[in-house]
Amino acid sequence: MARFAAIGLDHRHIYDLTQGLLDAGAQNDVLLHGRPLSVVASRFGFVDVAQLLIAKGANITARDDRGRTALMIAAMRNESDIVRDLLERATATEDAKYYADMQDNDGNTALMLAITVAMTKQLVPFTNVNIRNRNGQTALMLASKKRSLQLVRAL
């Protein structure tokens, strides 16, 4: 957030900028500092910005420089409202399982990046828990490395 504050952009500015760009006919995969706006909204928990982008048909499969989608970032940040909205959109317009199983540059899925039991439970119905990342690890293996019995049980 500091990077945006340094150039005078806060949550309200991001929302107004997004609304203005979309109203002016901008494509829904607008980049801000080289990142898809849907990823930026997820990273900073801007639920209303994410909802606006989703409602306007944003490309929810757009990726940042690490290959992460808005869903992956929202799962990492425990942004359950954004995860819910993204999965609803994916269910309505695409194959939600395909979207939830997308892998970043390291082969991690949103489920592998999820940090809480609640987030894990939210993602499990949409994911293949047997997918392995570049290190050959599944979500279950990563959860056991965290020594979290609750995460392991959620999987």
Side-chain angles (χ1 to χ4, degrees), residues 25-151:
Q27 296 298 315
N28 296 326
D29 51 0
V30 174
L31 299 179
L32 184 62
H33 288 279
R35 291 188 175 100
L37 205 44
S38 58
V39 171
V40 172
S42 294
R43 182 173 307 275
F44 295 108
F46 297 161
V47 177
D48 56 345
V49 175
Q51 289 171 336
L52 174 65
L53 287 163
I54 292 165
K56 296 287 188 171
N59 176 6
I60 61 173
T61 62
R63 297 170 181 262
D64 67 10
D65 57 336
R66 297 178 76 181
R68 292 184 175 159
T69 64
L71 180 66
M72 293 174 191
I73 299 296
M76 286 175 49
R77 303 280 189 206
N78 200 33
E79 295 291 344
S80 61
D81 290 340
I82 295 174
V83 167
R84 180 200 63 230
D85 293 343
L86 287 166
L87 289 173
E88 284 176 5
R89 162 77 188 287
T91 300
T93 60
E94 301 174 23
D95 180 10
K97 285 202 175 278
Y98 165 77
Y99 179 56
D101 287 340
M102 291 178 73
Q103 294 175 281
D104 68 10
N105 296 347
D106 294 321
N108 293 311
T109 64
L111 181 63
M112 293 174 181
L113 298 169
I115 57 169
T116 65
V117 173
M119 184 60 58
T120 299
K121 287 180 179 178
Q122 192 174 0
L123 289 165
V124 164
F126 298 94
T127 60
N128 175 353
V129 298
N130 297 313
I131 290 177
R132 293 178 182 268
N133 64 16
R134 292 178 75 189
N135 295 324
Q137 300 166 313
T138 65
L140 182 61
M141 292 173 180
L142 293 170
S144 66
K145 277 181 120 177
K146 293 177 184 177
R147 298 179 186 229
S148 172
L149 184 57
Q150 292 173 327
L151 274 177

